[in-house]
C-alpha cells in the first residue's frame, strides 16, 4: 500500500498480473498508511486532519476518525490490531479504537509538531518524535510520558522499534541515524552516512540490519552487528521519503518525491531467511532477549566513513527500471465500516 500528496491511497497486487486499486476519500495529501497485523484493515493519515480506516476491497468501505485539529503526520496499528496511534501537527498523539471507531485517549507533551508515533511490538509503550527535538516514551496503561531523549543537533523525522522491542532508532533531520536502548536510556549507535536529512528507517526482521531513506536521493543498508554501512542504493530521482522491509525480509519497498514506488529484492544476507527468522524467534521467545550491550558497542559510535560500502544503481543492471503501468481500478469511499 502506498500514499501520496495526490490524495489517493493505492493498493498494489503484485502477483500474476499487476493491478492497482486507487482509493479516494481524503480531501488533502495522504501522509501515512499502515496495514493491520492481519492485513484486513488499512489505516491512513492525511493533511485534511483525519484518520481513515479502510477495508482493502473493491467496495471502498472506510470510516473517518475526526479529532485532530491540524495535519496528521503518521498512523500505526498496535500488535493486536485493536488500536491505532496517530501523530499530528496539533502537537498531540491520539489513540483510537479500531473496533468502535472512536477516540480512546490523547497524549500531550510535545511543544511543537509531532512527526511520528509508533507502538512497541508488545503494544505496551509508544515512542514519538517531534520538532521540539525530543523523542518521548509513553506508557499506554498509565497514559504518561515515562522517558524522554533529547537531541540538541536536530529533530527526528521518524522513529521505529527494533523487532524485539528493546531499542528504538531515529531518523534525524541532521543527516544522522541513532539507536537508543530504552532499558538503559543510552545511545548505542550513531551513524552519519547521509548527506541530507533522513526521512524513514526500517528494521530487517532478523534485527541485524537497518535500511534508511534520505533526501540525498539514496537508500543505505546498515549492518548493526558489524557497525558499518554495507550498501548504498540509487534508484530514485530526488528525495527518498519512505522505506519498509516486507515481513519476511526478502524484499523492501521505497517511495520517493519522483512519484515512484520501487520494489527491491534483498540479497545482502547470505543466510537463508527462514533460518534467520527461526533463529531470531528462538532467541527472543524461548530465552530472554539478550541485552543489547552484549551485541552492540558499549559506547556511542560515530561512523566516519572509513568502511567501504557497495553502491548499487539499478539502471546499470536492469534495462528498464520503469515497469509498465498496471491496470488501475478506481474505488470511491462508500459506506462506513461495519463493527
Amino acid at each position: 500500500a502506498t500514499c501520496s500528496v495526490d490524495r489517493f491511497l493505492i493498493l498494489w497486487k503484485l502477483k500474476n498480473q499487476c493491478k492497482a486499486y486507487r482509493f479516494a476519500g481524503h480531501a488533502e495529501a495522504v501522509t501515512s498508511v499502515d496495514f493491520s497485523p492481519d492485513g484486513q484493515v488499512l489505516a491512513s493519515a492525511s493533511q485534511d486532519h483525519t484518520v481513515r480506516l479502510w477495508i482493502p476491497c473493491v467496495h471502498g468501505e472506510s470510516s473517518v476518525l475526526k479529532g485532530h485539529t491540524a495535519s496528521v503526520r503518521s498512523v500505526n496499528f498496535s500488535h493486536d490490531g485493536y488500536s491505532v496511534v496517530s501523530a499530528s501537527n496539533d502537537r498531540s498523539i491520539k489513540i483510537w479504537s479500531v473496533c468502535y471507531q472512536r477516540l480512546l485517549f490523547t497524549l500531550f507533551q510535545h511543544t511543537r509538531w509531532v512527526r511520528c508515533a509508533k507502538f512497541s511490538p508488545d503494544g505496551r509503550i509508544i515512542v514519538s518524535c517531534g520538532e521540539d527535538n525530543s523523542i518521548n516514551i509513553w506508557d499506554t496503561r498509565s497514559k504518561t510520558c515515562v522517558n524522554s531523549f533529547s537531541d540538541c543537533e536536530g529533530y527526528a523525522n521518524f522513529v521505529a522499534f527494533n523487532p524485539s522491542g528493546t531499542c528504538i532508532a531515529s531518523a534525524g533531520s541532521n543527516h544522522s541515524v541513532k539507536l537508543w536502548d530504552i532499558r538503559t536510556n543510552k545511545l548505542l549507535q550513531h551513524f552519519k552516512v547521509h548527506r541530507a536529512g533522513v526521512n524513514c528507517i526500517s528494521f530487517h526482521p532478523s534485527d541485524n540490519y537497518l535500511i534508511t531513506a534520505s533526501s540525498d536521493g539514496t537508500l543505505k543498508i546498515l549492518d548493526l552487528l558489524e557497525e558499518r554501512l554495507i550498501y548504498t542504493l540509487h534508484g530514485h530521482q530526488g528525495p527518498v521519503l519512505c522505506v519498509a522491509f516486507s515481513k519476511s525480509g526478502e524484499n523492501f519497498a521505497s517511495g520517493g518525491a519522483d512519484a515512484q514506488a520501487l520494489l527491491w529484492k534483498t540479497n545482502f544476507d547470505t543466510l537463508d531467511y527462514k533460518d534467520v527468522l527461526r533463529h531470531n524467534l528462538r532467541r527472543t521467545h524461548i530465552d530472554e532477549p539478550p541485552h543489547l550491550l552484549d551485541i552492540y558497542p558499549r559506547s556511542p559510535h560515530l561512523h566516519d566513513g572509513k568502511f567501504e560500502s557497495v553502491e548499487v544503481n539499478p539502471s546499470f543492471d536492469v534495462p528498464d527500471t520503469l515497469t509498465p503501468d498496471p491496470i488501475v481500478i478506481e474505488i470511491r469511499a462508500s459506506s462506513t465500516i461495519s463493527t
Side-chain angles (χ1 to χ4, degrees):
T2 60
C3 59
S4 170
V5 294
D6 63 9
R7 299 181 295 177
F8 296 117
L9 183 73
I10 296 185
L11 185 66
W12 306 84
K13 294 195 72 173
L14 304 175
K15 293 183 178 180
N16 302 324
Q17 184 182 12
C18 185
K19 291 184 180 180
Y21 297 86
R22 181 185 289 141
F23 292 85
H26 283 293
E28 299 292 341
V30 189
T31 55
S32 178
V33 62
D34 191 39
F35 268 108
S36 63
D38 62 6
Q40 299 301 306
V41 182
L42 272 171
S44 60
S46 172
Q47 291 182 2
D48 64 10
H49 306 185
T50 68
V51 172
R52 275 185 180 263
L53 300 176
W54 306 81
I55 300 294
C57 66
V58 295
H59 302 298
E61 295 175 297
S62 68
S63 293
V64 184
L65 305 179
K66 296 181 179 180
H68 286 292
T69 58
S71 297
V72 188
R73 292 269 190 168
S74 81
V75 67
N76 178 241
F77 275 96
S78 60
H79 73 296
D80 55 14
Y82 293 162
S83 304
V84 164
V85 61
S86 58
S88 170
N89 285 359
D90 63 11
R91 308 177 189 178
S92 74
I93 300 158
K94 294 184 182 293
I95 290 79
W96 311 83
S97 167
V98 175
C99 179
Y100 298 105
Q101 300 163 32
R102 64 179 179 85
L103 178 65
L104 295 176
F105 55 91
T106 302
L107 304 174
F108 287 105
Q109 176 133 333
H110 287 285
T111 57
R112 299 189 66 183
W113 293 353
V114 189
R115 299 188 71 92
C116 183
K118 298 282 185 180
F119 276 106
S120 63
D122 61 9
R124 291 186 297 177
I125 58 177
I126 290 171
V127 63
S128 64
C129 62
E131 294 192 5
D132 55 5
N133 294 15
S134 69
I135 298 173
N136 292 339
I137 306 294
W138 307 83
D139 187 324
T140 57
R141 291 165 293 186
S142 64
K143 305 177 181 59
T144 58
C145 181
V146 295
N147 202 359
S148 183
F149 303 99
S150 180
D151 192 342
C152 59
E153 299 175 355
Y155 59 83
N157 289 313
F158 192 91
V159 284
F161 280 95
N162 68 334
S164 61
T166 53
C167 78
I168 57 171
S170 64
S173 61
N174 62 338
H175 313 180
S176 69
V177 175
K178 294 184 178 181
L179 277 79
W180 312 79
D181 188 331
I182 61 173
R183 299 163 299 182
T184 61
N185 303 329
K186 289 182 178 180
L187 177 64
L188 298 174
Q189 291 182 330
H190 182 185
F191 294 91
K192 274 212 165 186
V193 292
H194 284 289
R195 300 189 307 273
V198 186
N199 299 312
C200 189
I201 49 182
S202 179
F203 279 95
H204 187 268
S206 70
D207 227 347
N208 298 335
Y209 304 95
L210 185 73
I211 190 166
T212 62
S214 170
S215 293
D216 65 11
T218 67
L219 298 154
K220 291 183 185 285
I221 298 175
L222 308 173
D223 187 324
L224 300 180
L225 296 184
E226 296 187 9
E227 311 174 57
R228 69 186 183 98
L229 168 66
I230 55 176
Y231 278 111
T232 298
L233 306 177
H234 301 267
H236 289 282
Q237 303 298 316
V240 189
L241 304 177
C242 58
V243 66
F245 274 110
S246 62
K247 285 187 176 181
S248 66
E250 294 184 10
N251 301 290
F252 58 93
S254 61
D258 56 3
Q260 287 194 102
L262 302 182
L263 186 65
W264 306 75
K265 182 172 178 59
T266 306
N267 64 352
F268 55 83
D269 193 337
T270 56
L271 297 176
D272 182 83
Y273 286 99
K274 292 182 180 178
D275 292 338
V276 171
L277 294 177
R278 192 180 303 115
H279 171 73
N280 195 53
L281 287 173
R282 183 167 62 250
R283 186 186 71 185
T284 58
H285 287 76
I286 296 179
D287 300 320
E288 284 296 314
H291 198 283
L292 286 184
L293 295 183
D294 295 332
I295 304 174
Y296 297 101
R298 296 182 178 275
S299 61
H301 187 91
L302 181 63
H303 287 252
D304 55 10
K306 64 182 178 181
F307 293 105
E308 292 185 0
S309 66
V310 178
E311 296 211 6
V312 178
N313 191 329
S315 63
F316 297 152
D317 305 317
V318 184
D320 179 17
T321 58
L322 295 175
T323 55
D325 290 338
I327 300 171
V328 178
I329 301 172
E330 298 281 351
I331 300 174
R332 296 286 168 179
S334 62
S335 58
T336 300
I337 296 173
S338 170
T339 57

